[in-house]
């Protein structure tokens, strides 16, 4: 059985052609699946019974199976989902003021191998399908039971989103489509470790916010903690970001995990400010959280303060991410750093 949640609107247009159906059927089905959250083809009552029966011979609607939900006292909820092949992925709901952000995984595992990240140390299994990406949104909706609303979505969980380019692009389109989940483009952010050619492509084809996980100001240090830097070194990445086609009043988020004694010196802060020149950006500083087996340590509080001060003095908007969900162990290094204490 094929899952209708795996079909973008464009895919459905193709499918309707194969069925010899009118193009407007594609929109009807797309809306049923993503906007009206139909759980079965039988619910699509404005589609003739005869066509529904034909569809049901090969197609169905299926979701991820949520195995476990953990809540922490600050309102953060992490849920673990099992996929058809028994791969497991994690998604997190983070409450911050009047925002409720859903952090989704883009791959089962991750091949990027960032040394400060638990997921990176565990290796890569496979890319997630559109249905599995969207399935995390559906699961969050079910978990919230209509009582709270997800306001933001970040692709910052397990995996490198731009390494699963096609499915992730379809997913961001479903997120922002008025016929789909209907999130504003400004409320969706994709975070990458720095795959330069894919960033260039996404600049042309994508229309949601971009965040880049930088985490070092010299190639020597970045090579050590992010193997992707050996392929796409800092200057190449910065050059790409300077060229990135931002719409007016938009900016790139630069994520910087502060690791004690490694990348948190005054000189690093000054170098970071120089590197980011001519890039419209905001900087998120994320004090590293130690985890079992990690070779690194968190920064001293006064280093965080000083680093923040220097970058801010250079004219950037800088935020130190608040600790969130400390009791429940979220998945990705970025996520752990961004939201855990
Ligand atoms: S930090 Fe993100 S990109 Fe790096 S290994 Fe972890 S999951 Fe992958």
């Amino acid at each position: 059985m094929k899952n209708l949640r795996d079909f973008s609107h464009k895919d459905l247009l193709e499918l309707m052609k194969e069925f010899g159906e009118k193009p407007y059927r594609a929109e009807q089905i797309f809306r049923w699946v993503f906007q009206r959250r139909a759980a079965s083809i039988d619910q699509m009552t404005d589609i003739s019974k005869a066509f529904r029966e034909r569809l049901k011979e090969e197609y169905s609607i299926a979701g991820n199976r949520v195995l476990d939900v953990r809540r922490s006292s600050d309102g953060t909820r992490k849920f673990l989902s099992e996929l058809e092949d028994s791969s497991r992925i994690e998604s997190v709901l983070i409450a911050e003021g009047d925002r409720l952000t859903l952090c989704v995984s883009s791959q089962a595992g991750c091949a990027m191998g960032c040394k400060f990240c638990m997921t990176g140390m565990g290796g890569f299994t496979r890319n997630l399908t559109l249905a599995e990406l969207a399935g995390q949104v559906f699961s969050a909706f079910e978990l919230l039971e209509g009582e709270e609303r997800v306001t933001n979505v970040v692709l910052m969980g397990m995996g490198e989103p731009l390494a699963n380019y096609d499915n992730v692009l379809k997913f961001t389109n479903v997120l922002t489509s008025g016929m789909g989940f209907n999130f504003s483009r400004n409320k969706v952010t994709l975070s990458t470790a720095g795959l330069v050619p894919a960033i260039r492509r996404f600049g042309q084809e994508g229309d949601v916010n971009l965040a880049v996980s930088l985490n070092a100001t010299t190639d020597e240090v970045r090579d050590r903690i992010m193997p992707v830097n050996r392929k796409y070194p800092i200057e190449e990445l910065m050059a790409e970001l300077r060229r990135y086609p931002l719409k007016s009043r938009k900016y790139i988020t630069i994520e910087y995990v502060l690791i004690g004694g490694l990348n948190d010196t005054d000189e690093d802060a000054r170098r970071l400010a120089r590197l980011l020149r001519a890039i419209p950006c905001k900087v998120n500083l994320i004090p590293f959280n130690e985890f079992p087996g990690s070779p690194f340590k968190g920064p001293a509080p006064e280093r965080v303060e000083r680093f923040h001060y220097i970058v801010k003095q250079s004219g950037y908007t800088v935020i130190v991410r608040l600790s969130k969900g400390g009791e429940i162990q979220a998945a990705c290094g970025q996520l752990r750093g961004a939201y855990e204490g």
Side-chain angles (χ1 to χ4, degrees):
M1 277 284 166
K2 291 181 198 148
N3 191 347
L4 283 178
R5 287 184 180 175
D6 264 326
F7 287 73
S8 66
H9 180 240
K10 204 165 143 222
D11 297 333
L12 285 171
L13 281 169
E14 284 299 311
L15 189 66
M16 290 308 107
K17 218 189 271 172
E18 283 169 31
F19 271 105
E21 287 286 327
K22 295 257 159 50
Y24 74 86
R25 282 264 178 262
E27 180 176 333
Q28 273 180 316
I29 295 175
F30 188 84
R31 281 185 191 273
W32 272 111
V33 172
F34 292 108
Q35 188 183 59
R36 304 170 86 169
R37 304 183 210 165
S40 74
I41 291 173
D42 280 327
Q43 277 176 268
M44 303 180 181
T45 45
D46 54 2
I47 293 173
S48 72
K49 188 148 194 309
F51 181 48
R52 273 185 274 152
E53 292 303 323
R54 274 176 74 204
L55 258 184
K56 273 162 55 184
E57 284 166 20
E58 274 181 79
Y59 298 87
S60 65
I61 298 174
N64 305 338
R65 200 161 74 88
V66 175
L67 292 181
D68 185 30
V69 182
R70 293 200 198 155
R71 291 161 202 271
S72 76
S73 50
D74 62 15
T76 303
R77 278 149 284 189
K78 182 184 84 166
F79 53 99
L80 179 73
S81 310
E82 187 170 69
L83 311 176
E84 238 175 76
D85 65 349
S86 308
S87 295
R88 291 176 175 191
I89 54 165
E90 291 181 332
S91 323
V92 188
L93 279 162
I94 305 132
E96 256 178 326
D98 53 7
R99 282 199 303 188
L100 184 59
T101 301
L102 173 64
C103 178
V104 302
S105 291
S106 56
Q107 301 179 308
C110 184
M112 291 292 124
C114 302
K115 296 290 183 289
F116 50 86
C117 167
M118 250 160 82
T119 303
M121 290 166 86
F124 174 68
T125 308
R126 66 171 175 85
N127 282 331
L128 300 190
T129 62
L130 173 59
E132 291 162 345
L133 291 161
Q136 297 171 71
V137 182
F138 286 114
S139 298
F141 289 164
E142 275 161 36
L143 208 71
L144 298 169
E145 289 170 344
E147 282 168 21
E148 293 165 273
R149 215 168 53 82
V150 175
T151 59
N152 297 60
V153 179
V154 294
L155 285 96
M156 214 183 269
M158 297 167 90
E160 161 56 55
L162 292 180
N164 182 12
Y165 190 93
D166 293 341
N167 291 340
V168 161
L169 183 68
K170 283 182 186 180
F171 176 53
T172 56
N173 288 339
V174 170
L175 284 170
T176 58
S177 165
M179 300 186 289
F181 292 124
N182 201 20
F183 285 98
S184 144
R185 290 172 173 78
N186 295 327
K187 304 285 186 194
V188 178
T189 302
L190 177 151
S191 172
T192 176
L195 295 179
V196 168
I199 290 175
R200 188 173 316 148
R201 198 175 152 200
F202 194 72
Q204 305 300 326
E205 300 173 342
D207 63 355
V208 300
N209 297 324
L210 181 74
V212 175
S213 184
L214 185 61
N215 310 323
T217 60
T218 64
D219 283 328
E220 192 224 325
V221 172
R222 200 164 190 265
D223 281 354
R224 266 177 68 196
I225 59 175
M226 298 183 76
V228 66
N229 195 68
R230 292 179 208 143
K231 200 157 181 201
Y232 306 113
I234 291 177
E235 196 35 60
E236 206 177 317
L237 176 60
M238 292 300 120
E240 197 56 50
L241 298 186
R242 282 194 289 273
R243 280 196 292 268
Y244 194 78
L246 283 170
K247 307 225 167 67
S248 70
R249 291 192 296 147
K250 281 227 177 192
Y251 55 84
I252 295 171
T253 301
I254 301 294
E255 292 156 354
Y256 194 100
V257 176
L258 283 164
I259 301 174
L262 186 79
N263 63 1
D264 63 345
T265 64
D266 287 4
E267 193 41 45
D268 278 307
R270 288 190 206 102
R271 258 197 307 262
L272 178 63
R274 279 199 299 275
L275 280 174
L276 298 180
R277 237 177 251 157
I279 300 173
C281 63
K282 284 189 184 176
V283 181
N284 280 353
L285 296 178
I286 306 156
F288 176 71
N289 291 293
E290 292 166 38
F291 57 85
S294 124
F296 304 117
K297 56 182 180 21
E302 56 275 17
R303 287 307 321 147
V304 178
E305 216 171 287
R306 179 86 185 136
F307 202 98
H308 177 260
Y309 174 79
I310 294 172
V311 182
K312 199 167 170 217
Q313 282 300 101
S314 308
Y316 297 95
T317 303
V318 193
I319 297 165
V320 178
R321 298 300 310 198
L322 294 172
S323 301
K324 285 278 167 189
E327 305 132 43
I328 58 170
Q329 295 278 312
C332 174
Q334 295 170 6
L335 181 72
R336 282 173 56 88
Y339 299 107
E340 287 208 346

